[in-house]
Amino acid sequence: MKSNTSILLSIAVAILGYIIINVANLPVSAEVSFAIGAIVSGFAIQFIKTGKSTGSSNSSNSATGDFETTTLYVGNLPYRANEMAIRTLFAEQGKVLSVRLMKDKHTGKRRGFGFVEMPENDAQKAIKALNEKEFQDRSLKVREANERAPRTEKPNDEM
């Protein structure tokens, strides 16, 4: 979506530059007008990007990307479910930042659970809406994920 904005802005600046050069009857070669248009587009895109990142304090947190996230544990997943299916399911409740489905490291098969990262408000909606919901003939278990306990190294038993 961000690249589409840049492309549309570049096209708009090019059309505006064409109109200004034709209306003013300026004797400018095509190469020079192209270079001027490229420079003006670059400045305009940078100006718009910095304007969005410094947005007003009244703008919503999700618009600026500054929000608290919550990682959800999703259990009892069907083994045939993939990341896109889970992302689509959770996207109905709000913005999905990431989906990680766990696989067995030896066989590569899915283990039937995973994690979905969402903004905090959307995560609470997802828990209420999707916990115990039937998905591909399985009853999902959705709850806030526990923090991972730090791993301790197991000493090697030498004989």
Side-chain angles (χ1 to χ4, degrees):
M1 189 64 83
K2 291 179 184 176
S3 62
N4 289 344
T5 304
S6 299
I7 291 170
L8 291 175
L9 181 62
S10 297
I11 291 171
V13 169
I15 292 171
L16 182 63
Y18 175 78
I19 292 170
I20 290 172
I21 289 173
N22 279 338
V23 169
N25 288 328
L26 296 175
V28 178
S29 69
E31 295 84 10
V32 172
S33 62
F34 177 79
I36 292 170
I39 292 169
V40 171
S41 293
F43 282 122
I45 290 169
Q46 288 301 320
F47 178 73
I48 287 176
K49 284 183 180 178
T50 57
K52 284 182 180 178
S53 66
T54 61
S56 67
S57 60
N58 293 338
S59 65
S60 70
N61 287 341
S62 61
T64 61
D66 184 24
F67 46 81
E68 293 293 320
T69 62
T70 300
T71 301
L72 301 177
Y73 164 81
V74 185
N76 202 30
L77 285 170
Y79 295 107
R80 66 183 177 277
N82 59 24
E83 281 86 357
M84 187 54 84
I86 302 303
R87 181 178 293 275
T88 303
L89 177 69
F90 278 80
E92 294 171 1
Q93 307 307 318
K95 184 175 183 177
V96 175
L97 303 174
S98 68
V99 175
R100 296 181 319 270
L101 299 183
M102 300 298 106
K103 293 181 179 181
D104 183 274
K105 62 182 166 183
H106 300 294
T107 65
K109 292 182 181 178
R110 299 199 192 281
R111 296 182 60 194
F113 72 94
F115 300 94
V116 176
E117 187 178 10
M118 301 178 78
E120 199 167 8
N121 295 339
D122 295 342
Q124 295 307 318
K125 287 193 317 189
I127 290 171
K128 289 177 185 168
L130 299 176
N131 190 36
E132 301 296 330
K133 180 181 178 183
E134 289 288 319
F135 176 69
Q136 296 182 1
D137 300 326
R138 302 285 296 262
S139 179
L140 295 180
K141 307 295 183 214
V142 181
R143 58 184 62 98
E144 196 167 327
N146 296 328
E147 288 295 319
R148 186 179 209 178
R151 292 185 174 196
T152 57
E153 291 291 322
K154 292 183 181 178
N156 291 336
D157 294 333
E158 293 185 31
M159 289 190 206

mmCIF file of all heavy atoms in Angstrom, residues 75-120:
data_model
loop_
_atom_site.group_PDB
_atom_site.id
_atom_site.type_symbol
_atom_site.label_atom_id
_atom_site.label_comp_id
_atom_site.label_asym_id
_atom_site.label_seq_id
_atom_site.Cartn_x
_atom_site.Cartn_y
_atom_site.Cartn_z
ATOM 1 N N GLY A 75 -4.450 -22.798 20.141
ATOM 2 C CA GLY A 75 -4.271 -24.231 20.257
ATOM 3 C C GLY A 75 -5.374 -25.019 19.586
ATOM 4 O O GLY A 75 -6.397 -24.471 19.184
ATOM 5 N N ASN A 76 -5.152 -26.324 19.470
ATOM 6 C CA ASN A 76 -6.084 -27.266 18.852
ATOM 7 C C ASN A 76 -6.330 -26.921 17.386
ATOM 8 O O ASN A 76 -7.426 -27.091 16.869
ATOM 9 C CB ASN A 76 -7.402 -27.329 19.636
ATOM 10 C CG ASN A 76 -8.138 -28.622 19.377
ATOM 11 O OD1 ASN A 76 -7.539 -29.653 19.108
ATOM 12 N ND2 ASN A 76 -9.460 -28.563 19.449
ATOM 13 N N LEU A 77 -5.267 -26.447 16.730
ATOM 14 C CA LEU A 77 -5.385 -26.114 15.308
ATOM 15 C C LEU A 77 -5.395 -27.385 14.471
ATOM 16 O O LEU A 77 -4.685 -28.345 14.800
ATOM 17 C CB LEU A 77 -4.193 -25.264 14.860
ATOM 18 C CG LEU A 77 -4.185 -23.814 15.289
ATOM 19 C CD1 LEU A 77 -2.832 -23.191 14.973
ATOM 20 C CD2 LEU A 77 -5.291 -23.053 14.591
ATOM 21 N N PRO A 78 -6.156 -27.398 13.394
ATOM 22 C CA PRO A 78 -6.077 -28.531 12.475
ATOM 23 C C PRO A 78 -4.684 -28.576 11.839
ATOM 24 O O PRO A 78 -4.083 -27.540 11.586
ATOM 25 C CB PRO A 78 -7.138 -28.219 11.412
ATOM 26 C CG PRO A 78 -7.824 -26.988 11.838
ATOM 27 C CD PRO A 78 -7.115 -26.399 12.986
ATOM 28 N N TYR A 79 -4.178 -29.750 11.606
ATOM 29 C CA TYR A 79 -2.833 -29.879 11.057
ATOM 30 C C TYR A 79 -2.746 -29.348 9.629
ATOM 31 O O TYR A 79 -1.683 -28.959 9.181
ATOM 32 C CB TYR A 79 -2.367 -31.338 11.118
ATOM 33 C CG TYR A 79 -2.229 -31.815 12.537
ATOM 34 C CD1 TYR A 79 -3.144 -32.713 13.086
ATOM 35 C CD2 TYR A 79 -1.200 -31.356 13.345
ATOM 36 C CE1 TYR A 79 -3.023 -33.129 14.401
ATOM 37 C CE2 TYR A 79 -1.078 -31.760 14.649
ATOM 38 C CZ TYR A 79 -1.989 -32.653 15.179
ATOM 39 O OH TYR A 79 -1.867 -33.047 16.481
ATOM 40 N N ARG A 80 -3.864 -29.301 8.935
ATOM 41 C CA ARG A 80 -3.852 -28.808 7.558
ATOM 42 C C ARG A 80 -3.951 -27.291 7.475
ATOM 43 O O ARG A 80 -3.811 -26.708 6.400
ATOM 44 C CB ARG A 80 -4.973 -29.464 6.754
ATOM 45 C CG ARG A 80 -6.365 -29.090 7.213
ATOM 46 C CD ARG A 80 -7.447 -29.838 6.425
ATOM 47 N NE ARG A 80 -8.769 -29.526 6.917
ATOM 48 C CZ ARG A 80 -9.360 -30.091 7.944
ATOM 49 N NH1 ARG A 80 -8.741 -31.044 8.620
ATOM 50 N NH2 ARG A 80 -10.571 -29.744 8.315
ATOM 51 N N ALA A 81 -4.183 -26.607 8.613
ATOM 52 C CA ALA A 81 -4.284 -25.145 8.608
ATOM 53 C C ALA A 81 -2.919 -24.539 8.316
ATOM 54 O O ALA A 81 -1.897 -25.009 8.810
ATOM 55 C CB ALA A 81 -4.802 -24.646 9.955
ATOM 56 N N ASN A 82 -2.895 -23.485 7.497
ATOM 57 C CA ASN A 82 -1.640 -22.801 7.202
ATOM 58 C C ASN A 82 -1.698 -21.369 7.722
ATOM 59 O O ASN A 82 -2.732 -20.912 8.210
ATOM 60 C CB ASN A 82 -1.322 -22.847 5.699
ATOM 61 C CG ASN A 82 -2.406 -22.193 4.867
ATOM 62 O OD1 ASN A 82 -3.152 -21.347 5.339
ATOM 63 N ND2 ASN A 82 -2.482 -22.579 3.604
ATOM 64 N N GLU A 83 -0.578 -20.657 7.605
ATOM 65 C CA GLU A 83 -0.487 -19.298 8.134
ATOM 66 C C GLU A 83 -1.528 -18.369 7.525
ATOM 67 O O GLU A 83 -2.105 -17.537 8.217
ATOM 68 C CB GLU A 83 0.918 -18.721 7.916
ATOM 69 C CG GLU A 83 1.951 -19.209 8.902
ATOM 70 C CD GLU A 83 2.608 -20.521 8.498
ATOM 71 O OE1 GLU A 83 2.231 -21.107 7.456
ATOM 72 O OE2 GLU A 83 3.495 -20.970 9.239
ATOM 73 N N MET A 84 -1.763 -18.504 6.224
ATOM 74 C CA MET A 84 -2.712 -17.607 5.561
ATOM 75 C C MET A 84 -4.134 -17.839 6.064
ATOM 76 O O MET A 84 -4.888 -16.884 6.263
ATOM 77 C CB MET A 84 -2.648 -17.788 4.037
ATOM 78 C CG MET A 84 -3.493 -16.772 3.293
ATOM 79 S SD MET A 84 -3.115 -15.071 3.725
ATOM 80 C CE MET A 84 -1.753 -14.757 2.667
ATOM 81 N N ALA A 85 -4.519 -19.077 6.294
ATOM 82 C CA ALA A 85 -5.862 -19.363 6.796
ATOM 83 C C ALA A 85 -6.046 -18.780 8.200
ATOM 84 O O ALA A 85 -7.094 -18.191 8.509
ATOM 85 C CB ALA A 85 -6.109 -20.868 6.819
ATOM 86 N N ILE A 86 -5.017 -18.894 9.039
ATOM 87 C CA ILE A 86 -5.098 -18.351 10.393
ATOM 88 C C ILE A 86 -5.105 -16.826 10.348
ATOM 89 O O ILE A 86 -5.864 -16.169 11.056
ATOM 90 C CB ILE A 86 -3.925 -18.876 11.263
ATOM 91 C CG1 ILE A 86 -3.942 -20.403 11.302
ATOM 92 C CG2 ILE A 86 -3.972 -18.284 12.657
ATOM 93 C CD1 ILE A 86 -5.227 -21.012 11.818
ATOM 94 N N ARG A 87 -4.267 -16.253 9.493
ATOM 95 C CA ARG A 87 -4.235 -14.790 9.352
ATOM 96 C C ARG A 87 -5.599 -14.265 8.911
ATOM 97 O O ARG A 87 -6.092 -13.277 9.443
ATOM 98 C CB ARG A 87 -3.155 -14.379 8.345
ATOM 99 C CG ARG A 87 -3.034 -12.876 8.163
ATOM 100 C CD ARG A 87 -1.924 -12.523 7.187
ATOM 101 N NE ARG A 87 -0.608 -12.853 7.682
ATOM 102 C CZ ARG A 87 0.115 -12.071 8.471
ATOM 103 N NH1 ARG A 87 -0.361 -10.910 8.868
ATOM 104 N NH2 ARG A 87 1.318 -12.444 8.861
ATOM 105 N N THR A 88 -6.219 -14.932 7.957
ATOM 106 C CA THR A 88 -7.535 -14.514 7.468
ATOM 107 C C THR A 88 -8.580 -14.611 8.568
ATOM 108 O O THR A 88 -9.398 -13.704 8.735
ATOM 109 C CB THR A 88 -7.949 -15.377 6.265
ATOM 110 O OG1 THR A 88 -6.946 -15.277 5.258
ATOM 111 C CG2 THR A 88 -9.281 -14.937 5.708
ATOM 112 N N LEU A 89 -8.540 -15.687 9.340
ATOM 113 C CA LEU A 89 -9.497 -15.878 10.430
ATOM 114 C C LEU A 89 -9.361 -14.776 11.473
ATOM 115 O O LEU A 89 -10.351 -14.170 11.889
ATOM 116 C CB LEU A 89 -9.273 -17.248 11.081
ATOM 117 C CG LEU A 89 -10.158 -17.565 12.285
ATOM 118 C CD1 LEU A 89 -11.607 -17.745 11.848
ATOM 119 C CD2 LEU A 89 -9.651 -18.816 12.994
ATOM 120 N N PHE A 90 -8.139 -14.469 11.882
ATOM 121 C CA PHE A 90 -7.926 -13.462 12.921
ATOM 122 C C PHE A 90 -8.091 -12.040 12.386
ATOM 123 O O PHE A 90 -8.409 -11.128 13.137
ATOM 124 C CB PHE A 90 -6.560 -13.656 13.577
ATOM 125 C CG PHE A 90 -6.575 -14.712 14.637
ATOM 126 C CD1 PHE A 90 -6.518 -16.056 14.294
ATOM 127 C CD2 PHE A 90 -6.679 -14.385 15.972
ATOM 128 C CE1 PHE A 90 -6.544 -17.042 15.258
ATOM 129 C CE2 PHE A 90 -6.711 -15.364 16.943
ATOM 130 C CZ PHE A 90 -6.650 -16.700 16.593
ATOM 131 N N ALA A 91 -7.878 -11.841 11.094
ATOM 132 C CA ALA A 91 -8.023 -10.511 10.509
ATOM 133 C C ALA A 91 -9.474 -10.026 10.579
ATOM 134 O O ALA A 91 -9.727 -8.816 10.529
ATOM 135 C CB ALA A 91 -7.537 -10.503 9.067
ATOM 136 N N GLU A 92 -10.412 -10.948 10.720
ATOM 137 C CA GLU A 92 -11.815 -10.544 10.875
ATOM 138 C C GLU A 92 -12.025 -9.799 12.192
ATOM 139 O O GLU A 92 -12.987 -9.062 12.337
ATOM 140 C CB GLU A 92 -12.717 -11.777 10.832
ATOM 141 C CG GLU A 92 -12.724 -12.479 9.498
ATOM 142 C CD GLU A 92 -13.456 -13.815 9.536
ATOM 143 O OE1 GLU A 92 -13.988 -14.188 10.603
ATOM 144 O OE2 GLU A 92 -13.479 -14.484 8.492
ATOM 145 N N GLN A 93 -11.116 -9.993 13.157
ATOM 146 C CA GLN A 93 -11.235 -9.353 14.473
ATOM 147 C C GLN A 93 -10.358 -8.108 14.594
ATOM 148 O O GLN A 93 -10.494 -7.367 15.551
ATOM 149 C CB GLN A 93 -10.864 -10.342 15.582
ATOM 150 C CG GLN A 93 -11.613 -11.640 15.525
ATOM 151 C CD GLN A 93 -13.118 -11.449 15.482
ATOM 152 O OE1 GLN A 93 -13.661 -10.613 16.186
ATOM 153 N NE2 GLN A 93 -13.784 -12.227 14.651
ATOM 154 N N GLY A 94 -9.433 -7.899 13.667
ATOM 155 C CA GLY A 94 -8.557 -6.733 13.728
ATOM 156 C C GLY A 94 -7.267 -6.970 12.973
ATOM 157 O O GLY A 94 -7.121 -7.936 12.231
ATOM 158 N N LYS A 95 -6.319 -6.087 13.207
ATOM 159 C CA LYS A 95 -5.042 -6.121 12.498
ATOM 160 C C LYS A 95 -4.166 -7.262 13.022
ATOM 161 O O LYS A 95 -3.969 -7.396 14.218
ATOM 162 C CB LYS A 95 -4.319 -4.794 12.685
ATOM 163 C CG LYS A 95 -3.039 -4.679 11.921
ATOM 164 C CD LYS A 95 -2.445 -3.302 12.058
ATOM 165 C CE LYS A 95 -1.192 -3.186 11.210
ATOM 166 N NZ LYS A 95 -0.642 -1.844 11.260
ATOM 167 N N VAL A 96 -3.645 -8.058 12.106
ATOM 168 C CA VAL A 96 -2.757 -9.166 12.458
ATOM 169 C C VAL A 96 -1.340 -8.758 12.076
ATOM 170 O O VAL A 96 -1.071 -8.442 10.922
ATOM 171 C CB VAL A 96 -3.159 -10.461 11.725
ATOM 172 C CG1 VAL A 96 -2.165 -11.567 12.015
ATOM 173 C CG2 VAL A 96 -4.557 -10.874 12.100
ATOM 174 N N LEU A 97 -0.437 -8.751 13.052
ATOM 175 C CA LEU A 97 0.949 -8.367 12.801
ATOM 176 C C LEU A 97 1.804 -9.550 12.372
ATOM 177 O O LEU A 97 2.664 -9.407 11.500
ATOM 178 C CB LEU A 97 1.540 -7.713 14.050
ATOM 179 C CG LEU A 97 0.779 -6.490 14.551
ATOM 180 C CD1 LEU A 97 1.344 -6.005 15.859
ATOM 181 C CD2 LEU A 97 0.792 -5.398 13.506
ATOM 182 N N SER A 98 1.586 -10.709 12.982
ATOM 183 C CA SER A 98 2.348 -11.894 12.575
ATOM 184 C C SER A 98 1.612 -13.156 12.976
ATOM 185 O O SER A 98 0.797 -13.146 13.894
ATOM 186 C CB SER A 98 3.748 -11.892 13.202
ATOM 187 O OG SER A 98 3.662 -12.085 14.598
ATOM 188 N N VAL A 99 1.909 -14.237 12.254
ATOM 189 C CA VAL A 99 1.362 -15.565 12.546
ATOM 190 C C VAL A 99 2.531 -16.540 12.505
ATOM 191 O O VAL A 99 3.309 -16.550 11.545
ATOM 192 C CB VAL A 99 0.299 -15.982 11.505
ATOM 193 C CG1 VAL A 99 -0.165 -17.407 11.755
ATOM 194 C CG2 VAL A 99 -0.869 -15.028 11.510
ATOM 195 N N ARG A 100 2.676 -17.347 13.562
ATOM 196 C CA ARG A 100 3.721 -18.366 13.610
ATOM 197 C C ARG A 100 3.076 -19.682 14.017
ATOM 198 O O ARG A 100 2.572 -19.815 15.128
ATOM 199 C CB ARG A 100 4.803 -17.991 14.629
ATOM 200 C CG ARG A 100 5.561 -16.746 14.289
ATOM 201 C CD ARG A 100 6.658 -16.418 15.308
ATOM 202 N NE ARG A 100 6.313 -16.611 16.699
ATOM 203 C CZ ARG A 100 5.768 -15.692 17.494
ATOM 204 N NH1 ARG A 100 5.463 -14.504 17.008
ATOM 205 N NH2 ARG A 100 5.516 -15.947 18.766
ATOM 206 N N LEU A 101 3.095 -20.642 13.114
ATOM 207 C CA LEU A 101 2.583 -21.975 13.425
ATOM 208 C C LEU A 101 3.771 -22.876 13.704
ATOM 209 O O LEU A 101 4.729 -22.924 12.936
ATOM 210 C CB LEU A 101 1.748 -22.521 12.265
ATOM 211 C CG LEU A 101 0.516 -21.690 11.897
ATOM 212 C CD1 LEU A 101 -0.258 -22.363 10.779
ATOM 213 C CD2 LEU A 101 -0.371 -21.443 13.091
ATOM 214 N N MET A 102 3.721 -23.582 14.815
ATOM 215 C CA MET A 102 4.843 -24.397 15.249
ATOM 216 C C MET A 102 4.890 -25.720 14.504
ATOM 217 O O MET A 102 3.859 -26.326 14.243
ATOM 218 C CB MET A 102 4.753 -24.671 16.752
ATOM 219 C CG MET A 102 4.771 -23.417 17.606
ATOM 220 S SD MET A 102 6.283 -22.472 17.439
ATOM 221 C CE MET A 102 5.777 -21.092 16.460
ATOM 222 N N LYS A 103 6.117 -26.120 14.156
ATOM 223 C CA LYS A 103 6.358 -27.385 13.468
ATOM 224 C C LYS A 103 7.325 -28.217 14.280
ATOM 225 O O LYS A 103 8.173 -27.693 14.992
ATOM 226 C CB LYS A 103 6.973 -27.136 12.089
ATOM 227 C CG LYS A 103 6.057 -26.453 11.111
ATOM 228 C CD LYS A 103 6.751 -26.293 9.780
ATOM 229 C CE LYS A 103 5.849 -25.631 8.770
ATOM 230 N NZ LYS A 103 6.507 -25.482 7.471
ATOM 231 N N ASP A 104 7.218 -29.520 14.120
ATOM 232 C CA ASP A 104 8.167 -30.434 14.742
ATOM 233 C C ASP A 104 9.504 -30.271 14.027
ATOM 234 O O ASP A 104 9.559 -30.300 12.798
ATOM 235 C CB ASP A 104 7.664 -31.872 14.613
ATOM 236 C CG ASP A 104 8.573 -32.846 15.302
ATOM 237 O OD1 ASP A 104 9.549 -33.291 14.654
ATOM 238 O OD2 ASP A 104 8.315 -33.162 16.485
ATOM 239 N N LYS A 105 10.586 -30.101 14.779
ATOM 240 C CA LYS A 105 11.867 -29.833 14.134
ATOM 241 C C LYS A 105 12.456 -31.052 13.432
ATOM 242 O O LYS A 105 13.311 -30.909 12.582
ATOM 243 C CB LYS A 105 12.860 -29.245 15.122
ATOM 244 C CG LYS A 105 13.218 -30.103 16.290
ATOM 245 C CD LYS A 105 14.180 -29.355 17.208
ATOM 246 C CE LYS A 105 14.301 -30.044 18.552
ATOM 247 N NZ LYS A 105 15.171 -29.281 19.439
ATOM 248 N N HIS A 106 11.997 -32.239 13.777
ATOM 249 C CA HIS A 106 12.529 -33.441 13.136
ATOM 250 C C HIS A 106 11.725 -33.845 11.906
ATOM 251 O O HIS A 106 12.298 -34.219 10.884
ATOM 252 C CB HIS A 106 12.579 -34.605 14.129
ATOM 253 C CG HIS A 106 13.450 -34.319 15.319
ATOM 254 N ND1 HIS A 106 14.809 -34.147 15.211
ATOM 255 C CD2 HIS A 106 13.144 -34.148 16.626
ATOM 256 C CE1 HIS A 106 15.321 -33.896 16.397
ATOM 257 N NE2 HIS A 106 14.327 -33.891 17.285
ATOM 258 N N THR A 107 10.397 -33.781 11.995
ATOM 259 C CA THR A 107 9.553 -34.226 10.881
ATOM 260 C C THR A 107 9.079 -33.084 9.991
ATOM 261 O O THR A 107 8.689 -33.316 8.853
ATOM 262 C CB THR A 107 8.313 -34.982 11.403
ATOM 263 O OG1 THR A 107 7.501 -34.066 12.144
ATOM 264 C CG2 THR A 107 8.718 -36.165 12.269
ATOM 265 N N GLY A 108 9.056 -31.858 10.522
ATOM 266 C CA GLY A 108 8.564 -30.714 9.748
ATOM 267 C C GLY A 108 7.051 -30.612 9.718
ATOM 268 O O GLY A 108 6.498 -29.722 9.093
ATOM 269 N N LYS A 109 6.359 -31.514 10.410
ATOM 270 C CA LYS A 109 4.892 -31.480 10.434
ATOM 271 C C LYS A 109 4.420 -30.471 11.475
ATOM 272 O O LYS A 109 5.074 -30.255 12.484
ATOM 273 C CB LYS A 109 4.333 -32.865 10.768
ATOM 274 C CG LYS A 109 4.581 -33.878 9.687
ATOM 275 C CD LYS A 109 3.959 -35.201 10.057
ATOM 276 C CE LYS A 109 4.222 -36.230 8.974
ATOM 277 N NZ LYS A 109 3.665 -37.534 9.343
ATOM 278 N N ARG A 110 3.265 -29.894 11.211
ATOM 279 C CA ARG A 110 2.690 -28.933 12.154
ATOM 280 C C ARG A 110 2.328 -29.621 13.456
ATOM 281 O O ARG A 110 1.918 -30.782 13.473
ATOM 282 C CB ARG A 110 1.467 -28.271 11.538
ATOM 283 C CG ARG A 110 1.807 -27.513 10.277
ATOM 284 C CD ARG A 110 0.737 -26.502 9.936
ATOM 285 N NE ARG A 110 0.918 -25.983 8.596
ATOM 286 C CZ ARG A 110 1.798 -25.048 8.263
ATOM 287 N NH1 ARG A 110 2.572 -24.542 9.175
ATOM 288 N NH2 ARG A 110 1.893 -24.632 7.020
ATOM 289 N N ARG A 111 2.457 -28.877 14.547
ATOM 290 C CA ARG A 111 2.227 -29.446 15.874
ATOM 291 C C ARG A 111 0.833 -29.143 16.413
ATOM 292 O O ARG A 111 0.491 -29.574 17.506
ATOM 293 C CB ARG A 111 3.283 -28.931 16.843
ATOM 294 C CG ARG A 111 4.672 -29.415 16.428
ATOM 295 C CD ARG A 111 5.741 -28.992 17.367
ATOM 296 N NE ARG A 111 5.510 -29.506 18.701
ATOM 297 C CZ ARG A 111 6.149 -29.074 19.778
ATOM 298 N NH1 ARG A 111 7.047 -28.120 19.667
ATOM 299 N NH2 ARG A 111 5.895 -29.581 20.959
ATOM 300 N N GLY A 112 0.020 -28.374 15.686
ATOM 301 C CA GLY A 112 -1.362 -28.136 16.114
ATOM 302 C C GLY A 112 -1.549 -26.913 16.994
ATOM 303 O O GLY A 112 -2.611 -26.728 17.576
ATOM 304 N N PHE A 113 -0.518 -26.073 17.084
ATOM 305 C CA PHE A 113 -0.678 -24.819 17.809
ATOM 306 C C PHE A 113 0.224 -23.768 17.191
ATOM 307 O O PHE A 113 1.103 -24.071 16.385
ATOM 308 C CB PHE A 113 -0.379 -24.985 19.307
ATOM 309 C CG PHE A 113 1.066 -25.173 19.642
ATOM 310 C CD1 PHE A 113 1.853 -24.087 19.991
ATOM 311 C CD2 PHE A 113 1.649 -26.430 19.615
ATOM 312 C CE1 PHE A 113 3.190 -24.253 20.310
ATOM 313 C CE2 PHE A 113 2.979 -26.607 19.938
ATOM 314 C CZ PHE A 113 3.761 -25.510 20.277
ATOM 315 N N GLY A 114 -0.051 -22.523 17.552
ATOM 316 C CA GLY A 114 0.747 -21.425 17.016
ATOM 317 C C GLY A 114 0.509 -20.157 17.799
ATOM 318 O O GLY A 114 -0.165 -20.156 18.843
ATOM 319 N N PHE A 115 1.052 -19.063 17.282
ATOM 320 C CA PHE A 115 0.960 -17.770 17.940
ATOM 321 C C PHE A 115 0.581 -16.700 16.929
ATOM 322 O O PHE A 115 1.058 -16.715 15.798
ATOM 323 C CB PHE A 115 2.293 -17.415 18.599
ATOM 324 C CG PHE A 115 2.700 -18.425 19.637
ATOM 325 C CD1 PHE A 115 3.540 -19.478 19.313
ATOM 326 C CD2 PHE A 115 2.223 -18.327 20.926
ATOM 327 C CE1 PHE A 115 3.904 -20.415 20.255
ATOM 328 C CE2 PHE A 115 2.576 -19.265 21.883
ATOM 329 C CZ PHE A 115 3.420 -20.307 21.545
ATOM 330 N N VAL A 116 -0.294 -15.803 17.358
ATOM 331 C CA VAL A 116 -0.732 -14.687 16.523
ATOM 332 C C VAL A 116 -0.445 -13.412 17.299
ATOM 333 O O VAL A 116 -0.840 -13.291 18.460
ATOM 334 C CB VAL A 116 -2.233 -14.782 16.188
ATOM 335 C CG1 VAL A 116 -2.691 -13.573 15.399
ATOM 336 C CG2 VAL A 116 -2.536 -16.060 15.428
ATOM 337 N N GLU A 117 0.227 -12.470 16.661
ATOM 338 C CA GLU A 117 0.522 -11.190 17.297
ATOM 339 C C GLU A 117 -0.424 -10.132 16.735
ATOM 340 O O GLU A 117 -0.548 -9.982 15.522
ATOM 341 C CB GLU A 117 1.977 -10.797 17.035
ATOM 342 C CG GLU A 117 2.402 -9.568 17.800
ATOM 343 C CD GLU A 117 3.860 -9.228 17.554
ATOM 344 O OE1 GLU A 117 4.478 -9.817 16.652
ATOM 345 O OE2 GLU A 117 4.368 -8.359 18.269
ATOM 346 N N MET A 118 -1.086 -9.412 17.651
ATOM 347 C CA MET A 118 -2.084 -8.404 17.276
ATOM 348 C C MET A 118 -1.969 -7.206 18.219
ATOM 349 O O MET A 118 -1.435 -7.343 19.319
ATOM 350 C CB MET A 118 -3.504 -8.968 17.403
ATOM 351 C CG MET A 118 -3.795 -10.186 16.577
ATOM 352 S SD MET A 118 -5.477 -10.803 16.830
ATOM 353 C CE MET A 118 -6.414 -9.641 15.842
ATOM 354 N N PRO A 119 -2.509 -6.039 17.807
ATOM 355 C CA PRO A 119 -2.628 -4.936 18.758
ATOM 356 C C PRO A 119 -3.493 -5.368 19.939
ATOM 357 O O PRO A 119 -4.393 -6.203 19.791
ATOM 358 C CB PRO A 119 -3.302 -3.827 17.954
ATOM 359 C CG PRO A 119 -2.965 -4.140 16.540
ATOM 360 C CD PRO A 119 -2.908 -5.641 16.460
ATOM 361 N N GLU A 120 -3.234 -4.800 21.103
ATOM 362 C CA GLU A 120 -3.872 -5.257 22.340
ATOM 363 C C GLU A 120 -5.404 -5.253 22.265
ATOM 364 O O GLU A 120 -6.044 -6.229 22.658
ATOM 365 C CB GLU A 120 -3.396 -4.375 23.495
ATOM 366 C CG GLU A 120 -3.603 -4.975 24.837
ATOM 367 C CD GLU A 120 -2.848 -4.226 25.914
ATOM 368 O OE1 GLU A 120 -2.279 -3.162 25.639
ATOM 369 O OE2 GLU A 120 -2.838 -4.730 27.046
#
